[in-house]
């Protein structure tokens, strides 16, 4: 077993525990609005603290970037100098969580020299853990998973953002007319569902690094691709230089992603 594969296994318990906290506390969570008006709860913070502590205890040489506090130099190695950096989204799908819609995920990715090498996306409500390590394949619990190979002319299931944050490009409205659209409200879950072949593709617009870091390696190991809207890879990137920059993306089987990128670039459907 490679070191990364071992690490994928070793951290499954922590990820499940974090998800368990979110599941148990959903009905008592208290919400507030962040500066950007998006919701956050005390449970987002508690799950994040749990994960940050667990990583600090086990991986003292590693840096951490987490959605709600970014980084905590007192607890972890410096993002500027560490070879590895953990990227955490404690609850992805907080809008669902606040409304008690049981669709959200804990998303944790590990970057090594700026590229995702291990990732976990856990759906606490279904107890499904999607994970991957570089070269070790993508997994749903104990079963290998693969992206679909649905051609653009087939019945394409596409995951889309749930709206409100940013208008969708006209091209995407065309996709809504032609394809089967699904909006889970969790980017990480959308990516996991692509890796498992449940969705054929996902389009994301107003996303951040913590929404995609884990999903990117899981999709890649499932035989697919995650690119920006121009078809370029986000990785490797310098985590120390990351400043909440949006990471709009397309993900899915390679041929379908290439096709969707070409439509986006041409601005037509
Ligand atoms: C959100 C979800 C959602 C996406 C938003 C994200 P959060 O993350 O990933 O699917 O459309 O842009 O902010 O706030 O629930 O962690
Ligand atoms: Ca998120
Ligand atoms: Ca979040």
């Amino acid at each position: 077993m490679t070191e990364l594969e071992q690490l994928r296994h070793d951290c499954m318990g922590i990820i499940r525990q974090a998800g368990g906290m979110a599941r148990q506390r959903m009905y008592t969570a208290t919400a507030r609005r962040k500066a950007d008006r998006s919701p956050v709860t005390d449970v987002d913070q508690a799950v994040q603290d749990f994960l940050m502590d667990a990583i600090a205890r086990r991986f003292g040489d590693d840096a951490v970037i987490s959605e709600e506090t970014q980084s905590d130099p007192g607890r972890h190695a410096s993002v500027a100098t560490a070879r590895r950096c953990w990227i955490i989204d404690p609850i992805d799908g907080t809008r669902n969580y606040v409304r008690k819609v049981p669709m959200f995920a804990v998303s944790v990715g590990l970057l090594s020299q700026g590229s995702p090498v291990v990732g976990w996306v856990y759906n606490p409500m279904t107890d499904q853990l999607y994970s991957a390590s570089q070269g070790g394949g993508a997994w749903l619990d104990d079963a290998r998973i693969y992206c679909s190979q649905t051609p653009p002319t087939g019945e394409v299931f596409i995951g889309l953002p749930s709206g409100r944050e940013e208008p969708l490009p006209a091209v995407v409205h065309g996709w809504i007319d032609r394809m089967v659209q699904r909006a889970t409200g969790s980017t990480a879950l959308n990516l996991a569902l692509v890796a498992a072949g449940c969705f054929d593709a996902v389009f994301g617009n107003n996303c951040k690094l913590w929404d995609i870091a884990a999903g990117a390696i899981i999709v890649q190991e499932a035989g697919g691709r995650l690119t920006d809207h121009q078809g370029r890879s986000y990785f490797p990137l310098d985590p120390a230089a990351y400043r909440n920059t949006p990471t709009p993306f397309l993900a899915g089987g390679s041929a379908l992603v290439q096709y969707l990128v070409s439509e986006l670039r041409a601005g037509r459907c």
Side-chain angles (χ1 to χ4, degrees):
M1 194 182 279
T2 66
E3 194 187 326
L4 292 177
E5 189 57 3
Q6 186 67 54
L7 197 149
R8 180 177 76 85
H9 279 280
D10 290 348
C11 293
M12 283 179 173
I14 302 168
I15 309 288
R16 285 182 189 278
Q17 246 182 292
M21 282 174 71
R23 183 179 58 239
Q24 282 157 18
R25 293 175 60 172
M26 183 163 72
Y27 284 95
T28 53
T30 54
R32 63 177 174 83
R33 296 264 170 197
K34 294 196 271 194
D36 67 359
R37 305 292 305 144
S38 67
V40 64
T41 73
D42 57 329
V43 184
D44 291 279
Q45 197 69 49
V47 171
Q48 170 177 282
D49 283 347
F50 169 79
L51 287 168
M52 287 176 98
D53 277 346
I55 291 166
R57 269 199 307 278
R58 289 169 179 76
F59 307 104
D61 293 339
D62 293 349
V64 174
I65 293 177
S66 186
E67 181 180 11
E68 309 307 341
T69 53
Q70 310 285 297
S71 58
D72 180 352
R75 252 198 293 198
H76 303 108
S78 157
V79 180
T81 53
R83 184 174 59 90
R84 302 198 310 190
C85 184
W86 296 73
I87 310 291
I88 302 174
D89 191 338
I91 297 182
D92 184 58
T94 297
R95 278 201 169 82
N96 283 346
Y97 191 76
V98 168
R99 299 286 292 253
K100 324 301 179 212
V101 178
M103 282 196 295
F104 56 89
V106 174
S107 176
V108 178
L110 174 65
L111 306 188
S112 180
Q113 291 174 328
S115 293
V117 289
V118 191
W120 302 261
V121 172
Y122 181 51
N123 179 343
M125 302 311 286
T126 57
D127 189 23
Q128 288 177 303
L129 178 55
Y130 303 83
S131 62
S133 67
Q134 191 176 50
W139 302 81
L140 167 52
D141 299 324
D142 296 329
R144 276 295 297 266
I145 51 174
Y146 300 92
C147 287
S148 80
Q149 298 302 328
T150 305
T153 49
E155 186 183 82
V156 173
F157 264 59
I158 187 162
L160 295 174
S162 28
R164 263 185 20 99
E165 289 168 340
E166 215 173 84
L168 295 172
V171 170
V172 177
H173 286 280
W175 296 346
I176 291 171
D177 292 338
R178 277 162 36 213
M179 299 174 188
V180 181
Q181 50 141 332
R182 294 289 181 263
T184 67
S186 162
T187 301
L189 219 46
N190 282 350
L191 289 170
L193 290 167
V194 154
C198 305
F199 291 177
D200 302 303
V202 180
F203 169 88
N205 52 0
N206 190 32
C207 300
K208 302 283 169 54
L209 179 57
W210 37 83
D211 297 317
I212 65 164
I217 180 74
I218 301 175
V219 167
Q220 183 186 309
E221 287 293 323
R225 290 178 66 204
L226 181 148
T227 72
D228 71 7
H229 289 177
Q230 305 296 314
R232 298 170 305 214
S233 175
Y234 276 109
F235 305 104
L237 58 71
D238 178 4
Y242 184 70
R243 299 278 178 275
N244 281 3
T245 327
T247 53
F249 72 89
L250 276 164
S254 301
L256 186 56
V257 166
Q258 198 178 342
Y259 173 81
L260 296 174
V261 164
S262 70
E263 288 213 335
L264 265 186
R265 293 179 66 163
R268 61 177 166 75
C269 345

